[in-house]
Amino acid sequence: MEEQAGESQKLEQLKADIARLTTQLKQTSIQKDTKYKDRDELDKHLNTLIQDAKNLRDQKKLIDEKIKTLKSKRQILNKEISELFKKLGSMRDDLPKNDNTNKKSPQQLQRQIAAINFSIETEALSFEREKKYMAQLKELKGQLAEINAGEKRYVDYKKFRDEVRIKKAEADAVHEEVQATAKQNSEIFRQLTEKSEEIAKIKDNKEKMKEDIQAFKPQIEALNTELAGLLEQWSAISPKPIAEFGVEIPEGLTIEKIKEKKKITKEDLLEMQRQAMRRK
């Protein structure tokens, strides 16, 4: 009677210990699986960040080439403009001075020339008179030619000045594009720096997570070993599987060997537990 009571008490204790270890194994397995899932999510995020960083590097490479081309173009334009301004200055210095003292207009000169020509053609002039008229014609025509040449220089100057302004506007536009592109490049560099820092941080977290996952292995092995010993004791004493007493054994442990009360080895139990706890 006392022997049966002792055996019953031992079975109750075994049942409680097996239930406790089974619960611990399940909880530990859940924690391990959660860590694996967290690691997988971290891997996905890391892969996305790496792809983003690659895209940013590709963009930056293209923009660097664009800036290089624009700066070269700007340098050429600035050199051209410098030469154009020198020529424009020379043309400005060559313009007629605005001295209107005793200056006649082209219209006045043309009227005088026409009047003298009319007199030469219609009047009976002496040699001296005609000679005087011819001298006046020469002087008036010289003055008119000088005025016409000055006006042509002024027209050429204005035309050339407009060409210089167009070229200067082109150079200014290239300069503004260089600045805008450089600003865009700086923003991409900022984003790339942030991505790189985040990538480095995630890699550090992955290493920590790897250590955490590896730490589960000895915990599970220790629980497996202890549970295997308790199940072996149970199978040696009880005619019924532990599951029939309300203790939920993880899948893979309620095997025919236990149900039939056949002798099972510790290695058998550990292998079944590994299969049950293995991450799918």
Side-chain angles (χ1 to χ4, degrees):
M1 194 71 172
E2 291 180 4
E3 184 178 348
Q4 289 180 353
E7 187 174 286
S8 176
Q9 185 177 0
K10 185 176 181 180
L11 285 173
E12 287 296 322
Q13 184 61 48
L14 280 172
K15 182 173 70 173
D17 291 341
I18 290 170
R20 174 180 53 80
L21 287 175
T22 299
T23 299
Q24 289 182 15
L25 272 170
K26 284 184 177 181
Q27 292 174 345
T28 305
S29 180
I30 290 171
Q31 291 173 4
K32 182 188 71 174
D33 287 344
T34 300
K35 283 290 183 182
Y36 271 115
K37 289 177 182 177
D38 291 343
R39 187 195 65 179
D40 291 343
E41 289 299 319
L42 209 59
D43 280 336
K44 290 179 183 178
H45 186 45
L46 179 61
N47 290 336
T48 299
L49 287 173
I50 291 174
Q51 185 60 48
D52 290 344
K54 181 181 180 301
N55 293 338
L56 288 170
R57 281 193 295 269
D58 291 343
Q59 290 180 42
K60 190 175 186 305
K61 184 177 179 181
L62 292 175
I63 291 178
D64 286 339
E65 289 297 323
K66 182 179 179 181
I67 290 175
K68 183 179 178 182
T69 301
L70 287 171
K71 283 184 174 180
S72 177
K73 183 178 180 180
R74 182 180 63 181
Q75 185 177 10
I76 293 172
L77 285 171
N78 287 340
K79 185 176 180 181
E80 290 180 2
I81 290 171
S82 178
E83 295 298 322
L84 291 174
F85 271 117
K86 287 180 182 178
K87 183 178 178 180
L88 185 65
S90 178
M91 291 177 69
R92 183 175 56 248
D93 294 339
D94 197 36
L95 291 175
K97 301 297 182 289
N98 293 325
D99 182 10
N100 294 323
T101 306
N102 298 323
K103 289 285 185 178
K104 296 179 180 180
S105 70
Q107 292 78 12
Q108 290 174 321
L109 292 171
Q110 287 171 352
R111 283 196 297 269
Q112 283 185 295
I113 290 171
I116 292 173
N117 282 328
F118 181 78
S119 295
I120 293 173
E121 292 172 358
T122 60
E123 297 177 7
L125 301 175
S126 64
F127 177 75
E128 291 298 326
R129 186 67 175 172
E130 185 177 354
K131 184 178 178 181
K132 183 179 180 180
Y133 275 162
M134 295 303 293
Q136 288 178 344
L137 278 176
K138 183 178 179 181
E139 183 181 353
L140 291 172
K141 287 180 178 180
Q143 291 178 15
L144 182 60
E146 184 181 351
I147 291 174
N148 288 337
E151 288 183 348
K152 184 178 183 305
R153 288 197 300 272
Y154 190 73
V155 170
D156 291 342
Y157 170 79
K158 289 198 296 183
K159 181 180 178 181
F160 188 71
R161 183 183 62 188
D162 292 340
E163 292 175 358
V164 173
R165 285 174 176 172
I166 292 172
K167 184 65 71 171
K168 179 66 166 57
E170 182 183 355
D172 290 342
V174 172
H175 177 67
E176 289 177 2
E177 190 174 1
V178 168
Q179 290 184 317
T181 308
K183 184 177 180 181
Q184 182 184 4
N185 201 28
S186 297
E187 175 60 21
I188 289 177
F189 180 76
R190 183 192 66 78
Q191 294 180 24
L192 186 57
T193 301
E194 288 182 354
K195 297 288 183 186
S196 298
E197 291 175 352
E198 192 172 356
I199 287 171
K201 188 181 296 184
I202 288 179
K203 285 183 176 180
D204 289 342
N205 289 341
K206 275 193 65 179
E207 286 299 317
K208 177 64 170 58
M209 195 170 289
K210 181 180 178 182
E211 294 174 2
D212 292 342
I213 291 173
Q214 290 176 343
F216 282 111
K217 184 177 180 180
Q219 295 178 34
I220 292 176
E221 289 293 338
L223 291 170
N224 276 335
T225 300
E226 187 176 358
L227 182 58
L230 294 176
L231 288 173
E232 190 173 4
Q233 292 179 44
W234 180 274
S235 63
I237 299 173
S238 175
K240 296 181 180 181
I242 186 67
E244 293 187 13
F245 290 86
V247 178
E248 183 181 355
I249 300 298
E251 182 181 355
L253 290 180
T254 55
I255 58 171
E256 292 300 320
K257 285 185 178 182
I258 294 179
K259 289 181 178 179
E260 296 173 3
K261 284 199 63 188
K262 291 182 178 179
K263 180 67 174 178
I264 59 174
T265 65
K266 176 181 176 181
E267 286 71 23
D268 291 331
L269 292 168
L270 289 174
E271 180 58 29
M272 286 183 290
Q273 181 64 3
R274 290 189 192 100
Q275 293 174 6
M277 295 293 106
R278 185 173 297 141
R279 177 174 175 270
K280 296 179 181 180

